[in-house]
Amino acid sequence: MNEMTRAAADPDQATLRKASLRIAVRISAACAVMVLCLLAGAALYLTNQLSHPELPGNPGRAGDFAYLDYKDLLKALIIAGAAGIVLAGLIGWFSARSAIEPLGAAMALQRRFVQDASHELRTPLAILDARIQLAQRDTPPESKPGLALVRIRQDTSALTAIVNELLVAATGQAVETPAEPIDVAGVVESVAESVRTIAHDQGVSVAVTAGARPLARIDESSLRRAVLALADNALAHTPAGGTITLAAAATQRNAVITVTDTGSGITGVERDRIFERFVRTPRPDGTRAQRSFGIGLALVRDVATAAGGTVEIASTGPGGTTMRISLPRSTP
């Protein structure tokens, strides 16, 4: 019970122990194959010698001869081989543990940083949310400032949810799947509202098509981050005067989200690699966005696959690109 508790409290140690065990098993397996080959060679040699015995050349000469039973020799070889395999496994185990100790320290440092940073961000976000609520009390809800405060508070809540997810992930726990399915179209509309101001500053219009309102069992904050990443990617590759369109649709089995831009299409990178980390595509002007690190689309893939769905490039060309997320549909 204590061992299980320690493993749950420090998932890195459990991961490192498993890695060490895998390395030790591989070393032992390699040594076992080598020893078995040596034993097989020795057995074949002995069998051949026994089938063609050589007697002393001069029977009349006196001499001493020793007799060794080949079964005893084979038994000794097997015992020595087994001992060698066990010894190789122990050496492999201790060597692997020593080799991955720096990796364990790096993992612990990284996890500690994420935990500390996430925890420290929660308080300023809570204070910001409280100040927004105070401002809302003195602002008419239907006024332009009142509507802006509502959107700011929604964005603050989304940021708080992201910070909480980071804190949960840093503890080694999996993000729990919500018990109730969410409205996918509602998330798409929320993302469109969030990026509309940024798009307006870039001279890009944002359209929303939500002909159906499918439900999917996925964390709302995670889905919002994924759709926001696709919209942000579309904005980065759509020139002024263009349009990005966010749509929600439903098939018999899936809830489908598409983000379409009117850029020049995906060029300069293979389509199969577009969702890999640190892969960056050129912008319409031929440069690369400085604020892009090639992580957004990789996170979209992680979110979609974690929910049992997929993300893909539905189409791309000179007229624009369409990204599509497909998630398993749920019933209320």
Side-chain angles (χ1 to χ4, degrees):
M1 182 65 180
N2 292 335
E3 186 69 22
M4 295 177 61
T5 304
R6 285 195 298 270
D10 192 356
D12 291 339
Q13 291 299 321
T15 302
L16 295 175
R17 280 196 296 271
K18 291 179 181 178
S20 300
L21 182 59
R22 284 196 298 269
I23 295 174
V25 169
R26 290 174 182 174
I27 293 176
S28 300
C31 292
V33 172
M34 182 177 64
V35 170
L36 289 175
C37 290
L38 292 175
L39 289 175
L44 290 174
Y45 175 77
L46 290 175
T47 303
N48 181 67
Q49 290 296 103
L50 291 173
S51 61
H52 302 85
E54 294 184 3
L55 298 176
N58 190 358
R61 180 180 300 174
D64 295 329
F65 297 95
Y67 174 77
L68 180 63
D69 189 354
Y70 81 96
K71 294 182 180 179
D72 295 334
L73 182 58
L74 286 178
K75 186 184 299 183
L77 288 174
I78 292 173
I79 294 174
I85 293 173
V86 173
L87 181 61
L90 292 176
I91 294 175
W93 168 257
F94 288 111
S95 299
R97 291 192 62 179
S98 300
I100 65 176
E101 279 183 1
L103 177 61
M107 291 176 63
L109 181 62
Q110 180 186 30
R111 190 181 296 276
R112 198 157 49 239
F113 170 77
V114 175
Q115 289 174 339
D116 294 344
S118 302
H119 185 271
E120 292 299 322
L121 284 172
R122 296 179 70 183
T123 300
L125 287 173
I127 295 173
L128 179 61
D129 185 67
R131 289 178 177 176
I132 294 173
Q133 293 184 59
L134 291 175
Q136 285 180 314
R137 294 178 183 177
D138 301 327
T139 306
E142 301 300 326
S143 64
K144 188 174 182 179
L147 295 176
L149 286 173
V150 170
R151 288 193 291 269
I152 293 173
R153 191 178 181 195
Q154 290 174 348
D155 294 336
T156 304
S157 299
L159 183 57
T160 302
I162 293 173
V163 170
N164 289 334
E165 285 183 18
L166 288 174
L167 189 58
V168 170
T171 60
Q173 302 176 8
V175 178
E176 295 183 359
T177 303
E180 296 296 329
I182 64 170
D183 180 11
V184 173
V187 174
V188 171
E189 293 167 352
S190 174
V191 170
E193 189 65 29
S194 297
V195 302
R196 188 164 275 123
T197 302
I198 301 175
H200 181 269
D201 294 339
Q202 298 180 8
V204 177
S205 60
V206 178
V208 181
T209 303
R213 308 198 73 85
L215 302 178
R217 203 174 300 277
I218 184 175
D219 181 72
E220 184 172 355
S221 175
S222 298
L223 180 59
R224 190 178 191 279
R225 284 193 292 116
V227 179
L228 187 60
L230 291 182
D232 181 70
N233 181 74
L235 280 175
H237 295 86
T238 302
T243 303
I244 67 169
T245 304
L246 289 79
T251 64
Q252 185 175 1
R253 296 183 178 181
N254 296 325
V256 180
I257 300 171
T258 57
V259 178
T260 305
D261 62 59
T262 55
S264 57
I266 297 175
T267 58
V269 64
E270 298 177 8
R271 290 180 55 171
D272 295 339
R273 299 183 59 243
I274 197 66
F275 294 102
E276 295 179 5
R277 286 180 178 269
F278 308 118
V279 173
R280 299 167 62 189
T281 57
R283 299 185 66 176
D285 56 3
T287 63
R288 295 181 185 271
Q290 293 183 357
R291 64 187 178 89
S292 174
F293 296 95
I295 298 178
L297 295 181
L299 293 176
V300 175
R301 182 184 59 184
D302 293 343
V303 170
T305 54
T310 59
V311 60
E312 62 182 346
I313 302 173
S315 63
T316 186
T321 300
T322 298
M323 299 282 192
R324 178 168 57 208
I325 298 177
S326 298
L327 301 172
R329 287 186 62 181
S330 298
T331 55

